[in-house]
């Protein structure tokens, strides 16, 4: 396991295993509550119009499935990863509600919405090698979830070429992040392969 992904020791005096698990659950549920309220008026871009909160929960779940020993701060940051970028929350607000580690990871993976879209996308590729281990894990899981949506709930109005371009871009973003999780990297590769096969076939059918 990558050094940055090892479980952190509980703060203060260690209690019983039950107390430690309970504290972990409290922090994780607090992050879900915070994110659900922040994203309450948002929907995903697909035809199903899923509540947006489904996405950050999926990102955290993917990390648990692929790296089950990940520390609580990274899992909470995964749940909160879009609240600065999409909801106007601040780094200091997250630090006050949770802690500096969680706040810093969320800030690392947040785009600056003041920049044009193409510049934001370029910056994700540019900054990926310098992310901390926790932020790389969140970024990797986020792209697994988003590429997976290209099969299950494609954004309304996207054609096959846009989808395939997105997969290529996501692959470039996560390239430096693969070092933190072989399992998530394998998950990404499998999903990206399926998306490419499906939408390349759709292009071929459309060209007939």
């Amino acid at each position: 396991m990558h050094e940055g992904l090892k479980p952190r020791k509980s703060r203060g005096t260690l209690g019983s295993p039950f107390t430690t698990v309970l504290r972990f659950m409290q922090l994780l549920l607090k992050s879900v509550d915070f994110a659900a309220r922040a994203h309450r008026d948002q929907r995903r871009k697909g035809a199903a119009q899923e509540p947006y909160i489904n996405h950050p929960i999926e990102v955290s779940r993917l990390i648990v499935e692929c790296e089950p020993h990940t520390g609580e701060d990274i899992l909470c940051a995964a749940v909160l990863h879009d609240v600065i970028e999409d909801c106007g929350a601040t780094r200091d607000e997250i630090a006050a509600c949770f802690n500096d580690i969680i706040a810093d990871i969320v800030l690392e993976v947040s785009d600056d919405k003041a920049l044009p879209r193409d510049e934001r996308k370029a910056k994700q590729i540019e900054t990926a090698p310098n992310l901390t281990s926790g932020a790389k894990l969140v970024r990797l899981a986020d792209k697994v979830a988003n590429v997976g949506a290209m099969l299950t709930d494609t954004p309304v109005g996207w054609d096959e070429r846009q989808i395939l371009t997105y997969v290529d871009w996501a692959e470039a973003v996560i390239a430096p992040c693969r070092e933190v999780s072989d399992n998530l990297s394998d998950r990404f590769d499998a999903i990206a392969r399926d998306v490419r096969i499906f939408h390349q076939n759709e292009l071929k059918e459309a060209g007939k």
Side-chain angles (χ1 to χ4, degrees), residues 19 29 31 38 48 54-55 60 79 83 88 103 111 117 122 127 129 140 143 149 154 163 170 181 183 195 203:
T19 301
L29 288 172
S31 71
N54 291 6
H55 168 65
S60 191
V79 173
V83 299
D111 285 353
R117 181 175 181 272
T127 60
L140 181 52
K143 293 299 182 274
T154 304
I163 292 167
S181 176
N183 292 331
V195 171
L203 271 178

Side-chain angles (χ1 to χ4, degrees), residues 150 154-155 157-168 195-207:
M150 299 300 156
T154 304
W158 283 36
D159 61 25
E160 272 67 35
R161 295 190 189 282
Q162 285 176 285
I163 292 167
L164 293 170
T165 297
Y166 179 87
V167 176
D168 290 343
V195 171
R196 283 176 171 134
I197 291 171
F198 179 82
H199 289 288
Q200 284 168 353
N201 286 339
E202 290 289 298
L203 271 178
K204 289 177 183 177
E205 288 295 321

Side-chain angles (χ1 to χ4, degrees), residues 50-62:
E50 289 186 7
Y52 195 89
I53 187 60
N54 291 6
H55 168 65
I57 290 174
E58 180 185 12
V59 172
S60 191
R61 175 183 61 78
L62 284 166

Side-chain angles (χ1 to χ4, degrees), residues 34-203:
F34 187 105
R37 293 174 190 274
H39 292 297
R40 64 186 178 276
D41 296 323
Q42 297 173 335
R43 297 279 172 170
R44 294 288 276 168
K45 296 176 182 178
Q49 288 284 286
E50 289 186 7
Y52 195 89
I53 187 60
N54 291 6
H55 168 65
I57 290 174
E58 180 185 12
V59 172
S60 191
R61 175 183 61 78
L62 284 166
I63 295 174
V64 171
E65 288 178 359
C66 293
E67 297 295 339
H69 299 294
T70 299
E72 65 216 35
D73 292 332
I74 297 174
L75 296 178
C76 290
V79 173
L80 297 165
H81 78 272
D82 277 333
V83 299
I84 292 178
E85 179 178 323
D86 291 336
C87 306
T90 66
R91 184 261 174 214
D92 289 344
E93 181 182 2
I94 297 170
C97 290
F98 298 93
N99 60 53
D100 287 325
I101 296 172
I102 293 173
D104 286 340
I105 293 173
V106 176
L107 184 62
E108 280 189 83
V109 298
S110 296
D111 285 353
D112 181 355
K113 284 295 187 75
L115 298 175
R117 181 175 181 272
D118 287 346
E119 189 171 342
R120 295 199 307 268
K121 290 170 72 71
K123 275 192 170 293
Q124 282 202 33
I125 296 174
E126 177 187 336
T127 60
N130 300 319
L131 296 175
T132 60
S133 296
K136 285 181 177 179
L137 194 64
V138 174
R139 180 72 85 200
L140 181 52
D142 179 45
K143 293 299 182 274
V144 172
N146 284 337
V147 170
M150 299 300 156
L151 278 179
T152 60
D153 195 24
T154 304
V156 173
W158 283 36
D159 61 25
E160 272 67 35
R161 295 190 189 282
Q162 285 176 285
I163 292 167
L164 293 170
T165 297
Y166 179 87
V167 176
D168 290 343
W169 168 76
E171 191 169 52
V173 172
I174 63 101
C177 303
R178 290 176 176 273
E179 64 185 16
V180 299
S181 176
D182 291 339
N183 292 331
L184 269 173
S185 297
D186 290 346
R187 186 81 65 97
F188 179 91
D189 290 339
I191 291 173
R193 181 188 64 243
D194 290 346
V195 171
R196 283 176 171 134
I197 291 171
F198 179 82
H199 289 288
Q200 284 168 353
N201 286 339
E202 290 289 298
L203 271 178

